[in-house]
Amino acid sequence: MIYHPPIEVYAGRVREVVLGRGNKALKIGGENILPLHLFEGSVANPPRFALEVYDVEPADWPDWLLEPFGEVVSDPVNWARKCVNDFGAEAICLQLESTDPAGEAVSAEQAAALVKKVNDALDVPLIVYGTGDEKADVRVLSKVAEVCDSENLLLGPLLKENYEEIGKVALEHGHSVIAQSPVDINLMKELNIKLCKSFPANKIVIDPVSSGLGYGMEYSFTIIERAKQLAVIFKDGMMQMPIIANLGGECWKTKEAKAGREQGILWEAITATSLLLAGANILVLRHPESYKLVKEIVSG
Amino acid sequence: MSIKGTDIVKKLPEGGKKNCRECGLPTCFAFAMKLASGGISLDKCPYISPQVKAELADALAPPINLVTIGHGENALQIGNEEVLYRHEKTFIHQPGIALLVSDEETEASIERKINKVRELRFDRVGLTLKADLLALYFESGDKSKFEALVRRAYEATDLGVVLISDDLDALFEARDIYASRKPLIYPITEENIDRAIPRIKQSPTPVGVRAETVEQLVPLTLKLKEAGIEEIVLDPGSGNLREAIAAQTLLRRAALKQKFRPLGYPTIALPCFMTKGELKEFVAASVFIIKYAGIIVISNADQYSLLPLLVQRLNIYTDPRMPLAVEEKVYEINEPNEQSPVLLTTNWSLTYFIVSSETEASKVPSWLCVKNSEGLGVVTAWAAGKFSADTIEPFIKRCGIEAKVNHRRLVIPGKVARIRGELEEAMSGWEVIVGPREASDIPAFLPELVKKWK
Ligand code: SF4
């Protein structure tokens, strides 16, 4: 009996999306193999990692999560700088928690001014997440787009309720966007199709909503895995956007991650590794240690 | 199954036209269909020639053999997997997590590890999660030390074991101690296989085969099969994770897509030998939980390392066609009465598990109305139309909560705040209150709510 290695060749390719501009530019996606199938081809861009920064000082983080950052957690600009300079983040993801209408409800102008400050201070691209409130995000993200004109930020989440409004402003001002649908492959594709009518497909990243280990991670895993197969094996043009896994917050809000340092770091690192193996192209993490662990795993 | 009933029937006596009924079925065709679905044994037909029988037995066998390690209620079954991706069907036999114990370790460390693997148990969504095996490792070069370790484990616990030794004598002596409990012996290699086979046959037990590449495993498993040994576990000997992902993927594909028998066995992965650095080893282990390993050996099992891996394994091996769900009904928490708050959520067992435990922690007596959402969480259920006003209204009516309380106030999950308006419209007489977005805020929310009502 002779063994013939069952190597496969794939018909489709994920679109390459550029984040940031000029010498900040970072490319994601572009692969025509299944995740980490380096025995079947090479990838233009390895999986990328962003670290999170919040615009409000975290109130309920455990010590082992605050410890690596020290005082900068009250200062988003320096927090972002530290993530890049000390921990080697390839991108920063600024979470605009202060704009939550049920919380501080900071004005769009104020939020946008902060985004600009953070972006100006960085030499890596910036991802900006609103709170997911469909109305507040229209105001906030539109203002951010305008104030940071032509910086090519990655803005999101665009939901089925507000994609048109945010998409229009983002396009006008030269940004890329994140299309988000809650763990459902059909809804995801539907949103991509609708968004593509008015927005260039090569400036869209998709977010299937990431859940933490033990809290629905398997759903995110399977949606990402299926989306990647539709893109790469079945050449479905409306699924060929790179995938973002915004998982840091989801992991660290769990009881298990808050129970101890090592357990928390592994909770995040194993969630990230799982979603990476499913096919995420860019992952947003919170703890520099889990970031380091997952990065080492990817590189060998 | 790799062969269809319609193909089997052609091979039956007289081209499947004998129809003598001796197998207990009305026709050869019926027998063929039953064979294909695994519902009957080939032996029931007395007229199949030995040659055809062997051919059919091979075609009917699952593409990845089942291997059982250990005995009794602790027996671990691996193999028999049918898919490459969990969404195609489901992964069946979760990988066994084995804790490595070397005979070079101190007494105290050995003692601690054996106790850990026996005692670390986690309850989650109604299941008990735990490690499955010990991996006893001959590292010292002193056979008496290894023997002492093996005897000690044997006496301390009836968990299954992987016996790891490059020295064949030590390996088989250990096998003899464990003979009645089906240990996995490892590694059998190109270099020692000819000497090993006669000794395996003396007291058959599962065999772990190691080679440098996937391809080099083939002659080894063929030799074992020829000697009648079919409980085999494969180690394609990968130095780093990239190669390991490649090897595990190729093995699974060769077995399932090419039906390549010599590679149709479960695998073993040893992250304990792949990485140095404590946390990294467990991240490496997590790769193998997804990428097809049947056994994963780790060097240390504390709560912080074991729990994340066991939860990941639970997640990945949950049947995606049947989300874990709890019964639709009104659950009583902290002995509620007619004034107690009424909470609403969906019946995904995880949602129920979190919401009920947080409600319990709030100490506020409450009624928890759990609506059937086909096992989906709140947001997904809402997105799928299974948690909207037009389905919630009839549920509240039929669940009987209206007879249990003298008020009409319903607390809904904060994540579906948007349905509040339509719900109040649909449920006349009810006030709908938006609860917290996260269950972890329930202990702060509920006492405030009841205080306000007073
Ligand atoms: S016993 Fe064999 S030959 Fe007779 S009906 Fe059954 S399958 Fe056909």
Side-chain angles (χ1 to χ4, degrees):
Chain A
M1 290 224 197
I2 298 165
Y3 165 70
H4 302 283
I7 300 287
E8 289 174 8
V9 179
Y10 305 99
R13 180 183 291 278
V14 173
R15 287 188 190 85
E16 189 170 75
V17 172
V18 182
L19 313 184
R21 68 179 179 99
N23 37 19
K24 281 189 187 191
L26 181 74
K27 290 177 187 165
I28 61 171
E31 76 272 22
N32 70 338
I33 52 173
L34 291 178
L36 301 183
H37 277 213
L38 295 163
F39 56 100
E40 294 181 309
S42 56
V43 285
N45 309 296
R48 305 289 190 182
F49 297 90
L51 282 171
E52 275 187 333
V53 168
Y54 280 78
D55 66 341
V56 248
E57 187 170 345
D60 56 351
W61 290 14
D63 289 347
W64 47 88
L65 189 49
L66 291 169
E67 180 266 329
F69 306 110
E71 283 170 8
V72 299
V73 289
S74 56
D75 172 2
V77 174
N78 282 316
W79 184 352
R81 277 204 185 112
K82 193 176 177 81
C83 286
V84 177
N85 299 337
D86 295 4
F87 308 129
E90 296 166 298
I92 292 296
C93 180
L94 181 59
Q95 311 269 11
L96 294 177
E97 201 175 84
S98 71
T99 63
D100 186 349
E104 279 186 55
V106 157
S107 74
E109 286 71 20
Q110 208 179 325
L114 176 71
V115 174
K116 183 161 178 8
K117 245 167 85 183
V118 173
N119 187 53
D120 288 347
L122 292 179
D123 51 11
V124 300
L126 186 63
I127 304 165
V128 180
Y129 263 92
T131 57
D133 182 286
E134 65 202 53
K135 296 205 180 85
D137 280 353
V138 172
R139 290 194 301 275
V140 172
L141 295 177
S142 302
K143 197 71 200 173
V144 169
E146 187 192 316
V147 171
C148 300
D149 182 66
S150 76
E151 288 293 321
N152 193 21
L153 306 180
L154 181 60
L155 301 174
L158 272 63
L159 312 173
K160 71 174 191 300
E161 293 84 2
N162 63 16
Y163 73 93
E164 271 183 300
E165 292 157 277
I166 304 177
K168 183 165 170 273
V169 187
L171 185 62
E172 236 172 73
H173 295 283
H175 300 290
S176 302
V177 299
I178 298 164
Q180 184 189 72
S181 344
V183 255
D184 182 301
I185 196 117
N186 299 318
L187 294 178
M188 179 190 263
K189 184 164 171 180
E190 204 180 300
L191 179 58
N192 292 346
I193 293 171
K194 284 188 193 155
L195 181 57
C196 280
K197 287 188 180 139
S198 58
F199 202 90
N202 64 357
K203 287 175 83 73
I204 300 172
V205 175
I206 47 185
D207 175 358
V209 179
S210 295
S211 300
L213 188 59
Y215 293 83
M217 190 273 283
E218 70 272 34
Y219 291 86
S220 310
F221 176 88
T222 280
I223 296 282
I224 295 176
E225 190 164 75
R226 287 180 62 196
K228 191 62 73 179
Q229 294 190 359
L230 288 174
V232 172
I233 301 177
F234 300 100
K235 220 180 158 180
D236 183 337
M238 282 301 112
M239 292 303 255
Q240 286 172 328
M241 295 78 176
I243 297 169
I244 185 167
N246 180 14
L247 60 99
E250 294 300 315
C251 291
W252 286 100
K253 76 180 187 201
T254 66
K255 264 196 201 119
E256 291 82 356
K258 288 180 181 169
R261 181 175 186 274
E262 279 76 20
Q263 186 167 302
I265 289 169
L266 283 176
W267 214 262
E268 184 173 39
I270 291 179
T271 305
T273 303
S274 304
L275 300 183
L276 193 74
L277 286 166
N281 294 89
I282 181 162
L283 297 96
V284 181
L285 277 72
R286 186 176 285 178
H287 200 293
E289 187 83 10
S290 37
Y291 163 74
K292 205 175 120 216
L293 280 169
V294 185
K295 216 170 161 185
E296 281 173 18
I297 287 292
V298 186
S299 49
Chain B
M1 288 305 141
S2 43
I3 183 165
K4 291 201 228 54
T6 44
D7 294 326
I8 296 173
V9 74
K10 294 176 205 146
K11 298 186 190 289
L12 292 178
E14 295 171 24
K17 302 240 157 59
K18 188 172 170 75
N19 300 333
C20 71
R21 295 173 172 241
E22 280 179 47
C23 56
L25 291 162
T27 59
C28 290
F29 183 77
F31 180 73
M33 294 313 278
K34 199 137 193 201
L35 265 182
S37 66
I40 197 166
S41 155
L42 263 176
D43 301 327
K44 292 279 175 190
C45 170
Y47 303 108
I48 306 178
S49 72
Q51 205 184 329
V52 171
K53 195 164 167 181
E55 198 183 307
L56 283 177
D58 217 39
L60 287 166
I64 299 176
N65 270 17
L66 187 69
V67 175
T68 306
I69 295 158
H71 77 134
E73 60 175 35
N74 287 320
L76 172 77
Q77 292 199 315
I78 54 174
N80 262 196
E81 297 300 328
E82 295 171 11
V83 295
L84 275 147
Y85 304 103
R86 66 189 288 277
H87 62 257
E88 293 173 309
K89 197 166 175 186
T90 180
F91 293 154
I92 301 166
H93 291 110
Q94 335 188 84
I97 305 284
L99 175 59
L100 185 77
V101 187
S102 158
D103 64 347
E104 284 226 297
E105 288 178 47
T106 61
E107 275 292 302
S109 159
I110 292 174
E111 167 102 26
R112 203 175 54 90
K113 280 190 172 175
I114 293 178
N115 287 340
K116 276 256 162 71
V117 87
R118 264 198 323 215
E119 285 157 17
L120 271 182
R121 296 257 184 298
F122 309 98
D123 290 321
R124 205 178 173 85
V125 292
L127 300 167
T128 303
L129 312 185
K130 58 185 180 61
D132 311 272
L133 303 167
L134 281 169
L136 307 175
Y137 178 29
F138 181 35
E139 193 181 12
S140 67
D142 176 350
K143 278 191 208 165
S144 62
K145 265 186 152 177
F146 185 53
E147 191 190 322
L149 171 66
V150 173
R151 285 200 188 279
R152 177 165 188 172
Y154 186 82
E155 273 148 32
T157 160
D158 56 4
L159 276 187
V161 291
V162 184
L163 300 169
I164 306 179
S165 165
D166 285 320
D167 180 305
L168 273 194
D169 289 332
L171 187 61
F172 284 104
E173 277 155 30
R175 187 268 322 259
D176 291 340
I177 296 172
Y178 258 96
S180 62
R181 294 193 197 160
K182 288 198 79 186
L184 172 69
I185 55 171
Y186 169 92
I188 298 306
T189 62
E190 185 188 359
E191 186 270 318
N192 69 18
I193 189 165
D194 293 325
R195 284 177 292 137
I197 283 178
R199 298 179 74 172
I200 300 169
K201 284 167 90 175
Q202 283 163 10
S203 172
T205 200
V207 175
V209 178
R210 186 181 70 201
E212 294 307 312
T213 63
V214 170
E215 189 167 9
Q216 287 168 18
L217 287 167
V218 176
L220 303 181
T221 65
L222 286 172
K223 263 190 189 169
L224 287 169
K225 187 169 180 188
E226 211 179 279
I229 301 157
E230 297 205 59
E231 283 203 278
I232 300 172
V233 177
L234 307 176
D235 174 11
S238 316
N240 66 41
L241 272 167
R242 273 188 193 190
E243 289 168 17
I245 292 171
Q248 294 282 345
T249 307
L250 292 172
L251 279 171
R252 176 68 63 97
R253 270 193 199 155
L256 295 185
K257 291 194 158 180
Q258 300 176 323
K259 315 277 183 227
F260 188 65
R261 284 275 156 208
L263 296 176
Y265 305 97
T267 64
I268 182 170
L270 300 115
C272 58
F273 297 144
M274 289 174 74
T275 59
K276 292 274 171 282
E278 31 164 10
L279 293 185
K280 201 172 161 190
E281 179 186 331
F282 307 114
V283 183
S286 79
V287 170
F288 290 110
I289 286 183
I290 291 172
K291 289 299 167 193
Y292 312 134
I295 295 174
I296 300 167
V297 188
I298 55 176
S299 66
N300 143 1
D302 276 302
Q303 145 133 19
Y304 77 81
S305 55
L306 196 53
L307 180 62
L309 287 175
L310 294 175
V311 171
Q312 186 205 19
R313 180 177 76 173
L314 172 70
N315 281 174
I316 296 296
Y317 277 76
T318 297
D319 188 343
R321 299 161 301 176
M322 285 184 276
L324 296 168
V326 297
E327 191 191 339
E328 169 179 289
K329 66 172 194 184
V330 181
Y331 291 82
E332 301 181 9
I333 298 174
N334 303 331
E335 300 174 16
N337 61 28
E338 72 281 358
Q339 285 161 11
S340 304
V342 176
L343 317 180
L344 173 72
T345 194
T346 66
N347 80 330
W348 183 20
S349 57
L350 181 65
T351 305
Y352 169 74
F353 166 76
I354 300 168
V355 173
S356 61
S357 63
E358 296 290 355
T359 307
E360 208 179 305
S362 78
K363 305 226 163 55
V364 176
S366 308
W367 304 96
L368 179 58
C369 300
V370 174
K371 180 188 175 301
N372 181 8
S373 59
E374 289 164 36
L376 297 177
V378 169
V379 175
T380 13
W382 170 77
K386 296 184 170 79
F387 200 58
S388 51
D390 56 325
T391 63
I392 292 171
E393 188 268 336
F395 160 66
I396 291 293
K397 282 250 150 60
R398 76 174 171 263
C399 76
I401 187 67
E402 291 180 322
K404 294 186 203 291
V405 292
N406 61 13
H407 64 86
R408 291 290 178 265
R409 296 185 187 112
L410 179 67
V411 181
I412 63 170
K415 289 218 166 128
V416 288
R418 61 181 93 206
I419 66 171
R420 185 177 157 222
E422 47 178 285
L423 205 51
E424 279 195 331
E425 221 164 88
M427 298 178 33
S428 63
W430 280 82
E431 178 191 349
V432 176
I433 298 155
V434 176
R437 288 177 62 84
E438 302 293 343
S440 54
D441 294 329
I442 291 177
F445 170 84
L446 276 181
E448 281 301 308
L449 184 73
V450 247
K451 219 193 309 170
K452 222 166 56 194
W453 288 351
K454 281 183 182 148

